[in-house]
Each structure stands twice: as structure tokens, then as C-alpha cells.
Amino acid sequence: MKSAPWVSGQNKESIITARIKAKDESFYWLESPLGLLKARKAFACLIEPRVTDQVLAVLAPSGQAYVLTILEREGEDRSSSLVFEDNVALSLQKGELKITTPRLNLLSGFSSLFSNALEVKADRGRAVILDLDFWSRSLKARFESVSLLTRNLFSTAERVFQKMKNCYREVEDLDQTRAGRLACLIRDTLLLKGRRSTLLAEKKVKIDAEKIHLG
């Protein structure tokens, strides 16, 4: 394909409507009243043009044609793509930025979010993260029910305080506790039952009660 020759005697830009016939790398071939033009996408044209799009183009005195904007898009697929060749910064001096869409997909090699306050609300949520590093100065969480499934769980804390109404634990094999001191304060009944029981003390064992039954 060859672009149409420049019309002699024209010293001003010509704004025309054209239809994109083909795309060659970063150039577009336009079918226009001036013939077949080889055009580039204007820097301010954010939506990526497609073949068969009806566009508004400008023909500069230098002979270079630019696609300014898309006027009409044919076919069932009328989705749009914003394509930027370099870094992009979006700033709002006042007001708020609101995005309304049935579905939002964010694809990025690396994403960073900085905010003084963050609020997320959703009816349902799902997160798949292969490696997660979470740091917080304080955390407050409220759940009606929690289900946790893991192969290994390691927890390190200076102090742990737990308060619950009922606690049920089931250990299939070994339950081991290592402590410098262990205190169990039972308000009502203490029941220890096992097929075999062993109590070892290096110095002394003290049992104090109103009645003691052995055997």
C-alpha cells in the first residue's frame, strides 16, 4: 500500500473522516476522501483504534496524518482498550474518582497502594496468594465462623490471651507442651483419663483435698 500524495497548494491542516482499512505495526491505513492515507495515532487518542473503525483524522501540512478520535465502531464487540506507551499519572485536585463497572480486572507485574485510610466492602471475597508477607501494628478482626486448613502452623508471640466459652480440641497423635511453669486453675471439675498415666517429679509431689480416693 502507498499513501496518497500531498495535495499542492494546501498550507493548513485538513480534518477529515476516514475508515481504518488495515494496521501495520504502529501505523494505520485510512480510507478517506483524499485517498488511502498512512496515519499514526495521535498522542491524545487514548482509545486504541481498530480495523473498520470510523475515525476523525487530521492531515498536517507536513503530509503526516494522525487519527484524532474514534467516531463509530461496528460489530458486536464494542469493547475499548486504553493503551499508553509510557508512564501514566492520574491526579485529582478536588472531588473523588469513582469507577462503576460490573467487573473489574487489574493485571500488573507489580502493584503498590498507598493511602492514609483504606476501606474495602464486598459481599464475597477470594484471594489466592502464593507468598504473603503481612505486617500490621495492630489488628482487630471479627468473624462469626473461621475454618482454617493448613499443613504446618507456626506462631510466635510474647503474650497470648484467649477467652472463650467452650473449647474443644482433638489431637490424633501427639499433644506436647513445654513450659517453664504451668498453672491450671479449674473452677469446678478436673478430669484426667488415660489408658496409661505417668507423673514424674524430681523433688516432691503434693496432693491436698478433703477426700482422696486411690484405686
Side-chain angles (χ1 to χ4, degrees):
M1 296 183 179
K2 296 183 180 180
S3 58
W6 175 250
V7 180
S8 60
Q10 288 184 331
N11 296 322
K12 297 182 180 180
E13 293 85 356
S14 299
I15 298 179
I16 56 175
T17 58
R19 187 172 297 276
I20 299 179
K21 299 296 294 182
K23 180 180 179 181
D24 184 10
E25 295 181 354
S26 60
F27 292 92
Y28 300 88
W29 291 97
L30 309 181
E31 185 181 38
S32 70
L34 300 179
L36 193 61
L37 302 177
K38 186 178 182 181
R40 299 182 62 179
K41 185 178 71 171
F43 186 79
C45 184
L46 301 181
I47 300 179
E48 186 71 10
R50 294 181 185 175
V51 178
T52 70
D53 281 354
Q54 188 78 15
V55 299
L56 186 67
V58 60
L59 191 60
S62 61
Q64 178 64 55
Y66 296 93
V67 176
L68 299 179
T69 186
I70 301 174
L71 300 178
E72 185 178 7
R73 172 161 293 174
E74 298 180 349
E76 297 181 357
D77 186 7
R78 302 176 62 86
S79 59
S80 302
S81 300
L82 298 179
V83 179
F84 302 94
E85 297 181 358
D86 211 332
N87 298 335
V88 178
L90 180 61
S91 301
L92 294 178
Q93 300 298 330
K94 296 181 180 180
E96 65 178 12
L97 176 63
K98 184 177 182 180
I99 299 177
T100 303
T101 176
R103 186 169 182 174
L104 177 63
N105 293 326
L106 299 178
L107 304 178
S108 173
F110 179 82
S111 299
S112 298
L113 177 61
F114 300 93
S115 176
N116 294 329
L118 177 63
E119 183 178 354
V120 179
K121 293 182 179 180
D123 293 336
R124 293 184 304 273
R126 181 184 179 188
V128 180
I129 303 176
L130 298 182
D131 189 4
L132 175 63
D133 186 4
F134 179 81
W135 183 92
S136 176
R137 181 173 298 175
S138 63
L139 174 64
K140 295 180 180 179
R142 296 182 179 179
F143 303 96
E144 288 189 2
S145 63
V146 177
S147 178
L148 177 63
L149 178 63
T150 178
R151 178 172 297 179
N152 298 297
L153 178 62
F154 301 92
S155 178
T156 302
E158 185 175 349
R159 287 185 179 90
V160 177
F161 299 92
Q162 291 182 328
K163 184 178 181 181
M164 58 196 73
K165 187 175 182 179
N166 296 291
C167 179
Y168 301 93
R169 292 200 315 165
E170 182 178 348
V171 181
E172 184 176 348
D173 190 6
L174 175 64
D175 188 3
Q176 178 176 303
T177 300
R178 293 184 180 182
R181 294 177 298 170
L182 177 62
C184 295
L185 304 178
I186 310 301
R187 182 168 45 188
D188 191 359
T189 303
L190 173 62
L191 174 62
L192 297 177
K193 182 180 180 181
R195 186 174 181 182
R196 296 181 180 89
S197 299
T198 302
L199 178 61
L200 302 177
E202 293 183 358
K203 293 186 178 181
K204 64 179 180 179
V205 175
K206 181 179 179 181
I207 301 177
D208 187 6
E210 293 181 358
K211 294 182 180 182
I212 298 177
H213 298 275
L214 297 177

